[in-house]
Amino acid sequence: MRNGVHLARIAGIDIYLDWSLLIIFALLMVSLGGGAFPTWHPDWSRALAWGTALAAAVLFFASVLVHELSHALVGRLHGIAVPRITLFVFGGMAQIREEPHAWKPELWMALAGPATSLVLGIAFTALGWAASGGAFDVADAESAFARLSPLATLLLWLGPVNIMLAIFNLVPGFPLDGGRVLRAIIWGATGNLHKATLWASYGGQVVAWLLIAVGVAMAFGFPVPPFGAGLASGLWLALIGWFLNNAAIRSYQQLLVRDTLADVPVSKLMKTGVETVEPGISVQALVDEHVARSDQRAYPVVEHGGLVGMVCVRDVHKLARSEWERTPVREIMTPSAAVAFVAPSDSSLEAMTTLGERGVNQLPVVDGGRVVGLVRREDILRWLSLYGDRRLQSSTA
């Protein structure tokens, strides 16, 4: 299911904002507008401090977006499709349709993000230095910040933050960029993507548990250079570690699932004997004659043997019950032009990818213009539960 808000489409890549982004956005605003900026600039008005904090938060996430776009554009140069980027609480994620076909594209794609953040960090720092008139004294940063203009303060905050972002992403823990660099190197050395992903995933879990341990120590008041100490900072670091641990495990599992489903045709998993309806029947007839008598939740709408749309149970719920008798199905169905479908010969991996991208639970299976079945998310999960374990275990040998 697609979460968040569609922000823009850049270079053919859809940019989404996840709702969790509000958490880190609010934290940045509070820590800068209510803490750092008033401390550095006691003469600033509240409006100026909070306005500069707002600009800093927006530019930080713009920097993260540029970081992720660099991954996507370098990946595209090597034939790797990146249909969307999602900005969320821990930064951003460029979502690829399939794994790189070789280790070198993986390496260059992984390095692109940290390199971009490093360039941005150096550029912002240099611009901030210029905006300060070259008078910023690193040895006496507190008094130096007090003399800075809002623009110089903003740039000299953004610069080091982007440099730290580059360094953090180079930590060799999958699926961070550094973990992908590690996977590419192991892949190149062994020629085995599965082993490379497994070892990189282990690296990610080690890094994650170190972050959790450091975070817990900080939360209990133990200072840990260079992070310091404190309950809020410690819990945040531990949360990042928890997320990284889950992401490392899930990334390896996703690779194995992809590999398992790639050779399984849709025809092997699809539900046949699917009920179809005509566009002219009433919604009341759809409910009485089909929905109430079947566990099928989506119905291909067929006219003259061809697919003209899909109607789901949730479409019925959008209509007042008093309207069911006089409303034909064609008025609530999703027209065929907006319906994704697969062929019986397509791989189940392609079906699973399409289900995820479209945020739906079933797809019509069409052969020669005729609907021959439905492939549902539950069908794929059931097949994996029955046959996946053996195949996944054998793929790691």
Side-chain angles (χ1 to χ4, degrees):
M1 184 175 182
R2 292 178 186 270
N3 294 316
V5 178
H6 185 263
L7 176 66
R9 187 174 174 84
I10 302 174
I13 302 167
D14 289 311
I15 311 299
Y16 284 84
L17 299 181
D18 188 86
W19 295 112
S20 64
L21 187 70
L22 294 175
I23 299 174
I24 186 61
F25 195 89
L27 287 173
L28 276 176
M29 287 287 294
V30 170
S31 64
L32 293 176
F37 290 164
T39 300
W40 297 342
H41 301 280
D43 58 323
W44 279 13
S45 66
R46 293 182 64 184
L48 180 58
W50 284 99
T52 307
L54 175 62
V58 170
L59 287 175
F60 171 72
F61 282 104
S63 300
V64 173
L65 175 58
V66 173
H67 174 113
E68 296 301 329
L69 278 171
S70 69
H71 285 308
L73 295 177
V74 171
R76 180 180 293 176
L77 288 176
H78 291 88
I80 303 169
V82 181
R84 65 181 292 184
I85 289 171
T86 302
L87 300 181
F88 64 112
V89 65
F90 293 108
M93 180 178 294
Q95 299 174 340
I96 60 178
R97 284 190 62 91
E98 57 185 16
E99 292 290 343
H101 58 275
W103 70 271
K104 286 185 179 179
E106 165 89 328
L107 178 64
W108 297 124
M109 185 176 175
L111 286 172
T116 299
S117 292
L118 182 61
V119 169
L120 286 175
I122 294 172
F124 283 136
T125 302
L127 290 172
W129 185 270
S132 71
F136 188 84
D137 184 4
V138 178
D140 188 14
E142 185 174 342
S143 60
F145 264 115
R147 296 189 295 270
L148 293 179
S149 66
L151 177 61
T153 299
L154 178 62
L155 291 171
L156 287 174
W157 179 82
L158 276 171
V161 163
N162 272 277
I163 292 172
M164 286 189 292
L165 180 64
I167 294 171
F168 178 74
N169 272 278
L170 283 175
V171 171
F174 195 76
L176 293 176
D177 297 336
R180 290 190 173 274
V181 169
L182 176 63
R183 181 174 79 157
I185 293 172
I186 298 173
W187 186 2
T190 65
N192 189 315
L193 174 59
H194 291 287
K195 286 184 178 179
T197 306
L198 179 61
W199 294 349
S201 175
Y202 285 156
Q205 293 173 62
V206 169
V207 170
W209 282 106
L210 284 174
L211 289 176
I212 292 172
V214 169
V216 170
M218 291 170 59
F220 279 96
F222 295 97
V224 182
F227 302 106
L231 179 62
S233 299
L235 291 179
W236 185 247
L237 197 62
L239 185 61
I240 292 175
W242 174 81
F243 171 81
L244 179 59
N245 182 66
N246 288 343
I249 295 171
R250 187 169 61 250
S251 295
Y252 180 61
Q253 291 172 341
Q254 287 173 347
L255 172 68
L256 297 180
V257 168
R258 282 173 175 267
D259 185 70
T260 302
L261 292 177
D263 297 327
V264 181
V266 167
S267 59
K268 191 168 185 175
L269 304 184
M270 71 182 187
K271 175 181 174 63
T272 56
V274 171
E275 295 182 41
T276 63
V277 298
E278 296 182 351
I281 71 167
S282 68
V283 174
Q284 185 70 60
L286 169 68
V287 172
D288 292 342
E289 299 172 14
H290 298 279
V291 176
R293 301 180 180 182
S294 169
D295 62 353
Q296 189 173 320
R297 300 186 61 81
Y299 296 84
V301 184
V302 176
E303 189 172 37
H304 306 303
L307 181 71
V308 296
M310 286 284 290
V311 63
C312 302
V313 174
R314 67 172 178 265
D315 296 322
V316 173
H317 293 321
K318 296 175 183 177
L319 194 67
R321 188 167 182 177
S322 60
E323 302 290 321
W324 288 4
E325 187 64 49
R326 58 176 175 266
T327 303
V329 164
R330 67 166 54 89
E331 291 190 13
I332 67 169
M333 72 180 188
T334 301
S336 58
V339 173
F341 61 88
V342 290
S345 58
D346 289 340
S347 75
S348 297
L349 173 59
E350 183 174 346
M352 184 183 72
T353 301
T354 304
L355 286 168
E357 291 179 350
R358 291 299 186 105
V360 296
N361 291 315
Q362 58 276 312
L363 295 171
V365 183
V366 179
D367 187 19
R370 293 174 47 254
V371 176
V372 296
L374 282 175
V375 60
R376 304 170 298 178
R377 192 186 303 272
E378 63 193 79
D379 297 325
I380 297 175
L381 294 177
R382 183 183 300 112
W383 190 91
L384 284 171
S385 70
L386 292 173
Y387 300 102
D389 288 346
R390 179 171 53 82
R391 292 197 173 199
L392 296 183
Q393 290 167 5
S394 63
S395 68
T396 62

